Amino acid sequence: MPRGILSGGRMSYIPRSIPTDFQIVFGFFAIALLLLAIWFFFDWMERYAEKRAREIEEELEELEEMGEVY
């Protein structure tokens, strides 16, 4: 009788089949594409934050010139 979780034994994972070459390559490219998308997102966020900081700085300078900064 197989020993499972309920019987107190450790259940080990035994794969039913070996992944094909296509599945391995597809998985590799899927992970690479996900990492690339994450990198592009963080790069875009950094550029957006820098642009936004410049815009806020310009707005503050305009308000200082008009004397509306308290």
Side-chain angles (χ1 to χ4, degrees):
M1 180 169 169
R3 297 182 58 166
I5 294 172
L6 296 177
S7 62
R10 295 187 66 191
M11 184 182 284
S12 60
Y13 174 72
I14 301 172
R16 300 280 179 209
S17 63
I18 299 171
T20 62
D21 290 342
F22 173 77
Q23 289 172 330
I24 292 170
V25 171
F26 183 79
F28 173 77
F29 280 121
I31 292 170
L33 186 63
L34 181 64
L35 292 174
L36 188 64
I38 291 170
W39 181 77
F40 275 125
F41 174 75
F42 281 106
D43 186 54
W44 173 81
M45 283 295 289
E46 186 176 343
R47 285 185 282 120
Y48 177 77
E50 290 171 358
K51 181 180 131 189
R52 191 72 182 119
R54 282 193 305 269
E55 289 174 358
I56 291 172
E57 192 175 309
E58 290 171 2
E59 289 175 14
L60 280 174
E61 287 175 4
E62 289 176 9
L63 289 173
E64 286 175 358
E65 288 174 1
M66 294 175 14
E68 295 186 17
V69 176
Y70 300 108

